[in-house]
Amino acid sequence: MTAVTPFWASLKNKACAWSGAFVLGLTGLLISPGVLAHPHGWIDLNVRVITDDEGVVSGLHQTWQMDPFYSLVVFEELQQVPGADLAQGLDQLGSEIRQNLSQQHYFTEVRLDGQRQALGEVTEYTAMERDGRLTFMFILPLSTPEPLAGRTLEYQVFDPTYYLEVVHEDVDGSPSEQALILHGEPSCELTILPADPDPELVMQAALLDVDEQGEPGLGRHFAETGRVACL
């Protein structure tokens, strides 16, 4: 077991640490159906694949919505900073999120026809309050734009240590219309594939204590896969 990553430790400091009893009560709500894993919070994910008129993909526009309980604590803490309003606090928090995520590949892996793609640096991002939830939006560019026609792009977004669970936004148990979208060329079939972790890994995650997270790499096995298969 390892300590909390700097990114989430930073956010927890902003929001104050949850009490052990609160986390214990919350844990049952965080478990996905059929999975006994033990993340300590969750993120609802929406992804827009960015392409130009010629069908060249240049990056992923991601929207992360933090879970309502955590968001509430963050907002309350930011509002208590002397001499600063919520907007100013969110601007600073967004900058910290981007900086820390840059050291962890933005929690994102992208593959094109099975080959992992290098990622660029995020320069366009914002943190905001949306429907009572802390929302972080950013454009993650590919280092080299690539044509999509006749190819398959896949991505996964996950916390490597599985401290947080990242799942595409859903409605009544199915991905929402905004969970994965592509506007423009080329014509592609969009699919979100559920995770299928090995039962031993499920048990490993379930045994994590309330102040623990998994070894780096654990989160990959619980990550959904967004697939863009183009004609």
Side-chain angles (χ1 to χ4, degrees), residues 1 36-38 200-210 212:
M1 310 301 176
L36 299 178
H38 189 150
E200 291 187 6
L201 292 173
V202 174
M203 183 60 66
Q204 178 182 337
L207 293 176
L208 293 174
D209 204 349
V210 294
E212 295 177 326

Side-chain angles (χ1 to χ4, degrees), residues 147-226:
L148 268 183
R151 308 174 76 181
T152 297
L153 180 146
E154 293 184 330
Y155 66 85
Q156 291 181 305
V157 181
F158 59 93
D159 174 1
T161 61
Y162 202 45
Y163 190 80
L164 291 178
E165 182 179 42
V166 183
V167 291
H168 287 81
E169 183 181 54
D170 72 81
V171 177
D172 297 328
S174 298
S176 73
E177 293 183 357
Q178 300 301 310
L180 172 56
I181 58 178
L182 183 155
H183 294 309
E185 297 295 333
S187 177
C188 305
E189 180 180 0
L190 309 181
T191 310
I192 296 173
L193 305 176
D196 186 23
D198 184 281
E200 291 187 6
L201 292 173
V202 174
M203 183 60 66
Q204 178 182 337
L207 293 176
L208 293 174
D209 204 349
V210 294
D211 59 352
E212 295 177 326
Q213 62 181 11
E215 296 293 340
L218 179 62
R220 179 195 311 277
H221 301 283
F222 294 88
E224 296 174 331
T225 300

